[in-house]
Amino acid sequence: MREHPCRLEGPHHTVADQNDALMTSVARMYYLDGLGQSEVANICGVSRSTVSRLLTTARERGIVRISVDEFDPRDRDLEARLVERFGLRRAIVVREMGGTPASTRRAVGYFAAPVLAEWIGERRLVGLAGGRTLGELVHHIESRTRGTGSAFVQLMGTIGSSPGRIDASELSRTLARRFQGTFLTLNAPAFAQSQRARDLFLSHDEIRSIWSAFDALDLALVGVGSLDESAFLERGVLTDETCAELRAGGAVGEICGRFFDERGRECPSGLRDRVVSIGLDALRACGDVAAVVSGPSRTNALRAAIRGGIVTSVVIDQVGAHGLLGAG
Amino acid sequence: MREHPCRLEGPHHTVADQNDALMTSVARMYYLDGLGQSEVANICGVSRSTVSRLLTTARERGIVRISVDEFDPRDRDLEARLVERFGLRRAIVVREMGGTPASTRRAVGYFAAPVLAEWIGERRLVGLAGGRTLGELVHHIESRTRGTGSAFVQLMGTIGSSPGRIDASELSRTLARRFQGTFLTLNAPAFAQSQRARDLFLSHDEIRSIWSAFDALDLALVGVGSLDESAFLERGVLTDETCAELRAGGAVGEICGRFFDERGRECPSGLRDRVVSIGLDALRACGDVAAVVSGPSRTNALRAAIRGGIVTSVVIDQVGAHGLLGAG
DNA sequence: CTCCAGCCTGCACGGATGTTCACGCACGTT
DNA sequence: AACGTGCGTGAACATCCGTGCAGGCTGGAG
């Protein structure tokens, strides 16, 4: 323990030389015999740090192999049923593991991310809305080493003066960085103060160019809001008053700040004339709109969006998928 | 993160129910995807503690499998050569991994321990001397769940007034506990003050009974000391004066406090008449004496002990084995 | 022979992990 | 129906592990 002075060999090519033998025996002691790294270090006469590093390289070189039973986080059966029932292009259903709404969002994001990355693939122009589940999804998409030259455009303006982490702008920016692609910003508030102000925004050249981009979308990723549990309510954009007005007009859901009824038709309201975002018809025209949703409360809204032809693909959790299929 | 209040299911059979699916996906995220346990916990909606426990049971149940390249810590070739050259019953040569003397001792102890446990097996009566390497060996022997009824007797008295961790008494006691066997103590100092005092000890009934046990030994485990580097010197038992006297008498090594020359004959000295330990002839009569040695400095002593018929098996490190074979 | 560059090592720190404790719910019992 | 028992959970603690940093040896070039 304190006999370091009397090492038998020079300290600087002791370990490197008999690398494999040492690495293997260290790995066996640690992984198979269950010794701690300190104990292994004592037995081998090296520092604990070195043991840690040896273990790392042993894993890298395949001296240590770790395997885990297969597990498919997606429910292929439900996916097929969704596709068939609603005529969807694609569906991802993430298995439920019985946690909180927040953990469900994270699970959907985590397991759907690699598939989404494939979907995005080589698309030239991808549009993004905001939302918590969509945020988790983007958050879990791996950075690419080689860019594909894709462009990412935000489909709606920013809510409030300080953009939150799940606003369309942040998500598009992040995704563009991960893919080493271009970020097209929609530099406007999600809701203007008045219709006049909204029209003023829309007349700006910068913003007009974004609007023309909306017509060229290859893929759109959107969240779906409900009136009951809306991020707009939380952020104070949607007043109880407007909410009641929308309900009266038959609104059941919202996409990109635009509320729609059971058949996917946009509902008139004070907000409708002030919103700065892609129109529902533009989304329909896109032809490839994926809704990223989690939680049981969005069922009606999502079903309406699908029936109304706005949404053509879904990314959803198991409970949500059951909800969609259950009544309707 | 702070949405705990709104869990969808009762907290008490959420996880246990879908055990396998959850365990598998947790294990995959942790081991294959390289997530931290906290991240996994967030995604799955359970606490980090639970993730840790799930991982443990996943390993236990074989959902996670870890394999490491084969590695034989023993040098079978050297073992065979030792057996042939010296006519040994058995030999264990532990591969060197180039550490300190202390780490070599630990390595010998660690890797030889399971084999030693086999050697001990069902023997009725096993004798133990003291020593650092032997201490490491004993230290690394696993506790048995079922006792074999073996008895363990210390082959020499205790050095000093407070028994160190590597004295014969401690080692025998520990080993007896590990094997759930009996411990026969030799309640005397290793070196009496005088020959008269020694004879007095030997005449005690308790000690005489130990002596008769010496004649019934099935196996003896001993260390081998040298004059240059002796634990006795460190502990002040062996004075420089006596040491010189021993050298003059041809002593090259020591076992159980008894010094012997190149042919294994015990050398006379002031210590010889005061030592309370098994005699070399009794060891020879035992017929199964294993020397547990590490380090390069014991070569001559060990060779003499083997040649002199005291030692019939060896447990040694690679360098020591080379030393034995090298010159002689 | 001397200098320099590169690499490997051990130390120290911060974060990650394993474990113990006390609580709360569910089930079996009275 | 109420209580007692048992299990699984989460929070706090102690430990363990991974990583940035500085020092020293080695090997090659001048």
Side-chain angles (χ1 to χ4, degrees):
Chain A
M1 217 77 124
R2 66 183 47 173
E3 309 197 18
H4 262 220
C6 44
R7 299 184 63 128
L8 297 179
E9 314 190 29
H12 284 285
H13 49 106
T14 297
V15 169
D17 292 351
Q18 4 187 348
N19 239 323
D20 275 15
L22 183 58
M23 235 162 31
T24 307
S25 80
V26 162
R28 290 188 76 87
M29 287 188 254
Y30 184 75
Y31 283 110
L32 266 32
D33 303 344
L35 298 189
Q37 295 188 357
S38 305
E39 300 174 88
V40 175
N42 285 335
I43 291 174
C44 294
V46 297
S47 78
R48 197 184 50 70
S49 317
T50 303
V51 170
S52 178
R53 284 187 275 254
L54 285 171
L55 288 171
T56 302
T57 63
R59 285 188 302 261
E60 287 169 356
R61 295 195 193 172
I63 291 173
V64 175
R65 295 168 297 277
I66 303 182
S67 63
V68 182
D69 280 359
E70 291 297 325
F71 178 73
D72 189 355
R74 294 165 58 183
D75 188 328
R76 309 280 178 174
D77 179 48
L78 278 182
E79 290 179 1
R81 285 162 66 191
L82 281 181
V83 167
E84 193 198 7
R85 172 78 151 279
F86 295 103
L88 294 172
R89 289 175 71 116
R90 292 169 295 219
I92 298 178
V93 176
V94 173
R95 284 187 196 283
E96 201 60 36
M97 286 177 296
T100 67
S103 73
T104 302
R105 278 196 294 275
R106 278 190 275 264
V108 169
Y110 182 75
F111 290 114
V115 189
L116 239 301
E118 271 183 40
W119 287 11
I120 293 171
E122 309 277 336
R123 310 283 179 123
R124 311 296 297 172
L125 182 58
V126 179
L128 275 88
R132 289 175 297 195
T133 308
L134 194 48
E136 291 294 337
L137 189 54
V138 169
H139 178 70
H140 285 294
I141 283 189
E142 305 250 335
S143 291
R144 298 224 166 163
T145 49
R146 293 184 48 202
T148 57
S150 303
F152 299 87
V153 57
Q154 63 183 100
L155 297 178
M156 62 185 298
T158 302
I159 300 172
S161 50
S162 65
R165 301 211 173 279
I166 59 167
D167 279 339
S169 55
E170 282 303 311
L171 298 189
S172 310
R173 191 196 311 278
T174 302
L175 203 51
R177 195 165 40 221
R178 297 273 168 87
F179 274 79
Q180 302 197 349
T182 315
F183 166 46
L184 301 178
T185 183
L186 174 51
N187 235 331
F191 298 100
Q193 300 275 3
S194 65
Q195 184 171 356
R196 281 181 55 94
R198 196 272 309 263
D199 294 341
L200 207 61
F201 277 116
L202 294 186
S203 66
H204 272 296
D205 279 352
E206 288 181 8
I207 293 180
R208 287 165 63 97
S209 75
I210 297 296
W211 241 256
S212 59
F214 287 167
D215 295 329
L217 282 179
D218 294 310
L219 172 65
L221 304 177
V222 302
V224 176
S226 71
L227 279 89
D228 305 320
E229 186 194 0
S230 167
F232 294 153
L233 270 173
E234 291 175 11
R235 305 186 68 165
V237 176
L238 186 61
T239 63
D240 289 340
E241 195 177 356
T242 316
C243 199
E245 178 189 358
L246 284 164
R247 281 183 206 278
V252 297
E254 164 269 332
I255 286 177
C256 288
R258 297 181 183 271
F259 290 84
F260 51 84
D261 65 14
E262 283 191 340
R263 303 179 58 177
R265 292 171 305 199
E266 189 163 5
C267 300
S269 81
L271 283 176
R272 174 178 186 173
D273 302 322
R274 299 193 282 115
V275 66
V276 181
S277 74
I278 189 173
L280 296 183
D281 288 334
L283 284 174
R284 281 192 190 88
C286 164
D288 200 356
V289 177
V292 180
V293 181
S294 85
S297 64
R298 309 299 170 84
T299 307
N300 291 328
L302 180 54
R303 189 185 299 113
I306 297 171
R307 289 267 165 82
I310 306 173
V311 164
T312 57
S313 299
V314 298
V315 176
I316 198 169
D317 63 290
Q318 220 173 8
V319 170
H322 271 125
L324 272 184
L325 290 166
Chain B
M1 214 72 133
R2 65 184 48 173
E3 309 197 19
H4 262 220
C6 44
R7 299 185 62 127
L8 298 178
E9 314 189 30
H12 283 284
H13 49 105
T14 295
V15 169
D17 291 352
Q18 5 187 345
N19 240 323
D20 274 15
L22 183 57
M23 236 163 30
T24 308
S25 78
V26 162
R28 290 188 74 88
M29 286 188 256
Y30 183 75
Y31 284 110
L32 267 30
D33 302 344
L35 298 188
Q37 294 188 358
S38 305
E39 302 173 86
V40 176
N42 284 336
I43 290 174
C44 295
V46 296
S47 79
R48 198 185 50 69
S49 317
T50 303
V51 171
S52 179
R53 283 187 281 253
L54 285 170
L55 288 171
T56 303
T57 64
R59 285 187 303 259
E60 286 169 356
R61 296 194 192 172
I63 291 174
V64 175
R65 295 168 298 277
I66 302 181
S67 64
V68 182
D69 280 358
E70 291 297 325
F71 178 73
D72 189 355
R74 292 166 59 184
D75 189 327
R76 310 280 176 173
D77 179 50
L78 279 182
E79 290 179 2
R81 285 162 66 191
L82 282 181
V83 167
E84 193 199 7
R85 172 78 150 279
F86 294 103
L88 295 171
R89 289 174 71 115
R90 292 169 297 219
I92 298 178
V93 176
V94 173
R95 285 187 197 281
E96 202 59 38
M97 287 178 296
T100 67
S103 72
T104 301
R105 277 196 295 274
R106 277 189 276 263
V108 169
Y110 182 76
F111 290 114
V115 188
L116 239 299
E118 272 183 39
W119 286 11
I120 293 171
E122 311 277 336
R123 311 284 179 120
R124 311 296 298 173
L125 182 59
V126 179
L128 276 88
R132 289 175 297 195
T133 308
L134 194 48
E136 291 294 338
L137 191 52
V138 169
H139 177 71
H140 285 293
I141 283 189
E142 307 249 334
S143 291
R144 299 224 166 164
T145 49
R146 293 182 47 201
T148 57
S150 304
F152 299 86
V153 57
Q154 63 184 100
L155 296 179
M156 62 184 299
T158 302
I159 300 173
S161 50
S162 65
R165 302 211 173 279
I166 58 168
D167 279 339
S169 54
E170 283 302 312
L171 298 188
S172 309
R173 190 194 313 277
T174 302
L175 204 52
R177 194 166 42 221
R178 297 273 168 86
F179 274 79
Q180 302 196 347
T182 315
F183 167 45
L184 301 179
T185 184
L186 174 51
N187 236 330
F191 298 100
Q193 300 276 1
S194 65
Q195 184 171 353
R196 281 181 55 93
R198 195 271 311 263
D199 293 340
L200 207 61
F201 278 117
L202 294 186
S203 65
H204 273 296
D205 278 352
E206 288 182 7
I207 293 179
R208 287 165 63 98
S209 75
I210 296 297
W211 240 255
S212 59
F214 288 166
D215 294 329
L217 282 179
D218 295 310
L219 174 64
L221 304 177
V222 301
V224 176
S226 71
L227 279 90
D228 306 320
E229 185 193 1
S230 167
F232 294 152
L233 270 172
E234 292 175 11
R235 304 186 70 164
V237 175
L238 186 60
T239 62
D240 289 340
E241 195 177 357
T242 316
C243 199
E245 178 190 358
L246 283 164
R247 280 182 204 278
V252 298
E254 164 269 334
I255 287 177
C256 288
R258 297 182 183 272
F259 290 83
F260 50 83
D261 67 14
E262 284 192 339
R263 304 180 58 179
R265 294 171 303 199
E266 189 164 3
C267 299
S269 80
L271 284 176
R272 174 178 187 173
D273 303 323
R274 299 192 284 115
V275 67
V276 181
S277 73
I278 190 173
L280 296 183
D281 288 333
L283 284 173
R284 280 194 191 88
C286 163
D288 200 357
V289 177
V292 180
V293 181
S294 84
S297 64
R298 309 297 170 86
T299 307
N300 291 329
L302 180 53
R303 189 184 299 114
I306 297 170
R307 288 266 165 83
I310 306 172
V311 163
T312 58
S313 299
V314 298
V315 176
I316 198 170
D317 63 290
Q318 219 173 9
V319 170
H322 271 125
L324 271 184
L325 290 167

